[in-house]
């Protein structure tokens, strides 16, 4: 059996460090916004090559709070990918703004920069690209468009910890970026967690208040904030795992290279990485018009697999009240995408075995 992702095995590599980190928090007697969060924020900001990091409760809150801090809300529009996890859209909706979907590039599945400018209107305030599957979006044209139209660029980097575009870390290119530390992410906590990175000192100060009941001084609440604080234990765990993130991302890249070699020549859409991007391979996603056949074959062989994502955001019940434009690329992808096992611990024989089952199913 090859599971889609074995989190117990992922975390076993950090067992000693994690247990020591958790004991350190327990012994400290300080469990909310203490030394571990402070230290992780410094370390993750340095890792992402940004000036500031603000730890929050999850990735959705990270994106929502950025929008709030920039005053983006009721009646405003934010350009988002039509092909993404729903959290990207929900962050916009929670701020009171309107998500405006941009179709993806058919090869990368990321937001297509060529379609962005035509969707900008008088109410557009921001562009929110997602670095999907661990591959950076093509940022140069998006940043140029944003400068031209005086728009904010908010990166959804929830799947791309450590990825680079033109040599620059994701999370450092836009005005701000939101990260998720959901356990299955490349940098995963032992529960929910998130962070915001930015070089904007004024924004960082606002975010620190917003995440903590609108307070920077105890019992003094300057704005109507929320409770969205990265937990001390999760921060301590993340500090341990951050030290090996680059090595684990490199292992994922090797696994991806094995897949690309083993799946060549099949009637299958393989991942396409643009020249400027250095993916960290959070997911290994292929496309096939025979997805059901592949799923059945993988299930029979006890090989884990998932679909990211089976229902496009505009077709979800949460957004059923609006009439959306035709989004054929997103709708095609929802019927064809299939995620194969991807983890830093996989060996070449694991990949060869998965590819053999795929090859036999498509023969």
């Amino acid at each position: 059996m090859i599971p889609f992702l074995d989190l117990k095995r992922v975390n076993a590599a950090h067992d000693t460090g994690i247990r020591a980190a958790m004991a350190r928090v327990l012994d400290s007697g300080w469990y909310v916004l203490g030394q571990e969060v402070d230290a992780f924020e410094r370390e993750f900001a340095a890792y992402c090559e940004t000036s500031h990091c603000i730890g929050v409760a999850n990735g959705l809150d990270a994106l929502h709070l950025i929008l709030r801090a920039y005053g983006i809300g009721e009646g405003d529009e934010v350009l988002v990918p039509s092909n993404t996890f729903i959290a990207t859209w929900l962050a916009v909706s929670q701020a009171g703004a309107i998500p405006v979907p941009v179709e993806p590039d058919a090869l990368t599945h990321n937001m297509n920069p060529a379609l962005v400018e035509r969707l900008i209107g008088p109410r557009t305030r921001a562009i929110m690209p997602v670095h999907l599957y661990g591959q950076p979006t093509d940022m140069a044209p998006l940043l140029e468009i944003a400068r031209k139209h005086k728009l904010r660029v908010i990166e959804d980097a929830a799947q791309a910890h450590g990825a680079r575009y033109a040599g620059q870390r994701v999370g450092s290119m836009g005005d701000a970026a939101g990260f998720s530390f959901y356990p299955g992410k490349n940098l995963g906590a032992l529960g929910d967690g998130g962070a915001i990175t930015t070089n904007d000192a004024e924004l960082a100060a606002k975010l620190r208040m917003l995440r903590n009941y609108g307070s920077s001084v105890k019992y003094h609440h300057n704005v109507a904030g929320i409770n969205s604080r990265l937990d001390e234990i999760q921060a301590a765990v993340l500090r341990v795992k951050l030290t090996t993130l680059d090595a684990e991302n490199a292992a994922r890249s090797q696994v991806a290279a094995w897949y690309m070699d083993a799946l060549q020549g099949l009637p299958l859409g393989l991942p396409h990485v643009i020249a400027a991007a250095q993916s960290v391979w959070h997911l290994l996603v292929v496309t096939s018009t025979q997805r059901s056949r592949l799923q059945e074959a993988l299930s029979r062989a006890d090989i884990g697999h998932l679909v990211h994502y089976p229902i496009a955001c505009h077709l979800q019940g949460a957004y059923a009240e609006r009439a959306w434009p035709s989004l054929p690329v997103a709708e095609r992808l929802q019927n064809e995408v299939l995620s194969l096992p991807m983890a830093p611990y996989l060996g070449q024989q694991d990949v060869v075995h998965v590819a053999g089952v795929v090859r036999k199913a498509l023969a």
Side-chain angles (χ1 to χ4, degrees):
M1 179 179 179
I2 300 177
F4 179 74
L5 179 63
D6 185 345
L7 287 177
K8 188 174 180 179
R9 187 171 178 183
V10 168
N11 290 317
H14 307 281
D15 186 83
T16 301
I18 287 175
R19 291 181 187 277
M22 295 175 75
R24 189 170 65 241
V25 175
L26 183 63
D27 292 343
S28 76
W30 191 298
Y31 308 126
V32 177
L33 293 184
Q35 292 182 355
E36 297 295 336
V37 170
D38 285 345
F40 175 72
E41 288 177 340
R42 291 193 302 271
E43 290 159 7
F44 194 63
Y47 178 83
C48 293
E49 301 168 359
T50 60
S51 302
H52 306 279
C53 170
I54 302 92
V56 295
N58 54 68
L60 172 55
D61 281 359
L63 297 173
H64 167 224
L65 288 173
I66 294 168
L67 291 165
R68 278 197 60 187
Y70 275 134
I72 297 172
E74 197 68 36
D76 295 329
E77 295 181 345
V78 178
L79 272 57
V80 296
S82 60
N83 179 53
T84 184
F85 181 55
I86 198 169
T88 314
W89 286 46
L90 291 176
V92 177
S93 299
Q94 285 186 5
I98 302 165
V100 176
V102 181
E103 283 275 76
D105 178 280
L107 292 176
T108 66
H109 305 182
N110 271 328
M111 179 185 281
N112 188 341
L115 305 178
V116 167
E117 198 156 18
R118 70 187 69 171
L119 295 170
I120 295 172
R123 296 189 296 175
T124 307
R125 294 286 307 282
I127 305 171
M128 189 179 284
V130 178
H131 304 306
L132 200 64
Y133 312 151
Q135 179 183 175
T137 296
D138 192 3
M139 290 295 292
L142 291 180
L143 293 169
E144 183 178 347
I145 291 168
R147 284 192 294 270
K148 177 180 176 182
H149 294 275
K150 297 180 173 57
L151 303 176
R152 297 291 185 186
V153 175
I154 301 167
E155 300 174 68
D156 182 340
Q159 300 185 10
H161 315 73
R164 290 186 181 274
Y165 174 87
Q168 192 171 348
R169 292 278 197 198
V170 303
S172 67
M173 292 174 281
D175 293 283
F179 287 86
S180 166
F181 303 125
Y182 183 77
K185 296 297 196 289
N186 290 32
L187 181 60
L190 300 185
D192 274 320
I196 298 158
T197 56
T198 184
N199 289 311
D200 185 337
E202 182 180 351
L203 178 74
K206 288 181 181 178
L207 289 166
R208 292 186 190 283
M209 283 197 296
L210 283 172
R211 72 168 177 187
N212 189 35
Y213 300 100
S215 173
S216 56
V217 177
K218 195 173 181 69
Y219 300 131
H220 292 254
H221 304 275
N222 300 325
V223 294
I226 64 173
N227 177 13
S228 181
R229 303 174 297 204
L230 179 63
D231 184 81
E232 275 287 285
I233 287 181
Q234 301 300 350
V237 170
L238 290 167
R239 292 183 67 197
V240 173
K241 299 180 73 174
L242 181 59
T243 62
T244 60
L245 178 58
D246 282 343
E248 292 186 359
N249 284 343
R252 287 174 177 270
S253 294
Q254 178 60 77
V255 173
W258 288 330
Y259 267 120
M260 297 293 275
D261 182 61
L263 295 172
Q264 284 295 328
L266 296 179
L268 201 65
L270 297 180
H272 176 81
V273 179
I274 61 175
Q278 181 182 332
S279 177
V280 291
W281 298 99
H282 172 58
L283 298 172
L284 193 295
V285 180
V286 298
T287 57
S288 175
T289 56
Q290 303 179 71
R291 185 174 71 190
S292 294
R293 179 189 293 185
L294 287 176
Q295 289 175 295
E296 291 170 4
L298 291 166
S299 294
R300 285 195 302 269
D302 283 331
I303 295 172
H305 53 279
L306 290 174
V307 174
H308 295 89
Y309 299 97
I311 305 174
C313 294
H314 68 290
L315 300 178
Q316 296 279 1
Y319 290 99
E321 79 285 355
R322 284 200 56 191
W324 299 97
S326 175
L327 300 170
V329 183
E331 291 170 19
R332 176 178 63 79
L333 289 175
Q334 74 175 11
N335 296 318
E336 295 183 4
V337 290
L338 182 64
S339 298
L340 300 177
M342 168 53 75
Y345 56 74
L346 290 175
Q348 187 170 12
Q349 288 307 308
D350 297 317
V351 173
V352 169
H353 177 55
V354 174
V357 172
V358 170
R359 185 174 296 277
K360 185 176 180 180
L362 293 176

